[in-house]
Structures are given as structure tokens and as C-alpha cells.
Amino acid sequence: MAFPLYESNLKSLKLLGRGKVRDMYAVDGDRLLIVTSDRLSASMSSFPIRYPTRVRAERNVQFLVQEARTHRSNHLDGAAPESVVKGGDEAAQVKGRAVVVKRLKPLPIEAVVRGYLIGSGWKDYQKTGAVCGIPLPAGLKQADKLPEVIFTPATKAGAGAHDENISYERAEKLIGKTLAAKVRDVSFRLYREAAGYARGRGIIIADTKFEFGTDEKGNLVLIDEALTADSSRFWPADRYQPVRAPRHSTSNTCATIWKPWIGTKHRLRHGSRRK
């Protein structure tokens, strides 16, 4: 297991920004280095909880490599992260937790796919009987499996803000009808493939989100993380029952529940620092 890393510090590359979990550096004019830290994302905040990042990052890379072999449509460059930094200390910071990727134009939406009624979808359904404008049958319970998988896009929020669920029609206005349809169809395919794979191993993927960008030719490309605990809800199938989400979820639900307590302790020990 790699040593815990709350915040990377690579002097040989220009830091472009830090997200709730990942740090991004410029490698050159065409490539970026994305470093997955041990910050744990919960709602709008992140905390220095020692999360098994190396395993998470490696599994994410494995998924993207398989996606590249099958569909050739993700942002991985193929270069070893250690090859673009200098010195043993920097190599240790990126080994097993970073990827070198192509610079692309990110789309201004997140592609959320839901197979179960949970989270903001459940709240929306309680108020309106629909999720992001998609009508659902009456009488559904929290954590129920949906009759059909649904696509519920969201806008990308800036640091310290929540993503906003939007209708498919609004997504069409933001990125165009043709591209919106392609994002939806690819997201459905990725979710169904992953959900089927996981279900055969005793895991339910309740929902997930993907992010996409376009290259210089306008081709759609899968970017950022895919099917991690930061972007998905994973439930043990043997503990699943409607009415409530399984308590032993491997998503970051537990951190969200304990966020007020974690945040207080973190501020006491580390000041008001927030990433």
C-alpha cells in the first residue's frame, strides 16, 4: 500500500488546481497529470481520511484500460506517471495513484445514471413523483430498483458548491442534441456493463456518474474517474432491501453522515483549511 497522501507537492510540474480528491498538473501543452490523493470527498467537503487510494486508483486505471481496448474512447495517454516527474520523492507521490492523460475539452455536464431510487433522486421523487423530470410509477420506496435505468444529467458545480440536477432537455441546450444523445447512450452502456459485472460478484451499483470531453475533432471521450467510491454507490447484494440503503455501502455515504463531526475535528486539528 502506498503511503497516505493528503496533498501532492510536485515542484517539477505546474499545479493547475486541486479538486476535492484529485490534484492536476500540466505535463506539457498536450498532456496533464492527475494525482488521486487520500482526501475523502463527502458532499461539498473533503477530509484527510486514510482511504485505500492506491487500490482505488489502480482499479480505475484498469477499467479505463479495458475501455480503451474495447472502445478506444478515454483520455489515458499511456505514459507512466513516474516518467513525467523528477526525483525519487515525486515518483513515490505518483506511483500507483496518478495517470497521465490527454488535454481535452470537458463537457459542462456530468452524466449520472441511476438504477435505484436513492440520494437526490429519492428526494426529488418524494416531492414531484419524478427524477429530473422523468416520471416514475407511484408507490416506489427508498432504494427501490427502478423499472428502467434512467439518465439524469447534472451541471458541474465549482468548489464549495453542489452539482445541480437538470433535465435532459436542458442538457441538450448546453451541449447540443446530437452530443447529449451520444453521452446518454454511452453512459447507459457503461453502467449496464459495469452493473452486470458487479452483480455477478455480489455488488449492486445503485448509481454512478461519468464525465466526458471532446478532442480536437469533436470525438466524445471518457475522462476523469469512472466507477469509484467518489462517483458511485456500491451496495452489498446480500444486504440489499428497499426502504433504506444497505448500511455497509462502499460509497462515501458514511462520510457524508459523519461530515459535521469530521469537519469539526479536522478544523480543531488543522485550522480552517479546506480543499
Side-chain angles (χ1 to χ4, degrees), residues 78-96:
E82 297 92 328
S83 70
V84 301
V85 297
K86 295 180 179 179
D89 175 66
E90 291 192 358
Q93 290 184 57
V94 302
K95 184 177 181 180

Side-chain angles (χ1 to χ4, degrees), residues 104-105 107 178-179 182 213-221:
L104 299 166
K105 181 181 179 180
L107 298 183
T178 300
L179 194 54
K182 188 175 293 186
T214 54
D215 62 16
E216 66 281 359
K217 297 181 180 179
N219 297 315
L220 187 68
V221 182

Side-chain angles (χ1 to χ4, degrees), residues 152-170:
T152 60
T155 57
K156 291 183 180 180
H162 282 294
D163 297 334
E164 178 189 354
N165 292 334
I166 60 175
S167 66
Y168 181 74
E169 290 71 25
R170 185 175 171 193

Side-chain angles (χ1 to χ4, degrees), residues 28 30 75 102 104 119 128 146 151 162 193 209 214 222 254:
D28 51 40
D30 299 317
H75 66 164
K102 306 165 191 171
L104 299 166
T128 68
L146 296 173
F151 177 71
H162 282 294
E193 289 180 2
K209 75 174 178 69
T214 54
L222 178 65
C254 59

Side-chain angles (χ1 to χ4, degrees), residues 193-231:
E193 289 180 2
Y197 178 89
R199 195 64 178 83
R201 288 156 180 78
I203 299 171
I204 293 171
I205 304 179
D207 54 28
T208 193
K209 75 174 178 69
F210 301 107
E211 296 193 38
F212 295 91
T214 54
D215 62 16
E216 66 281 359
K217 297 181 180 179
N219 297 315
L220 187 68
V221 182
L222 178 65
I223 66 173
D224 201 47
E225 63 183 330
L227 299 166
T228 68
D230 291 316
S231 64

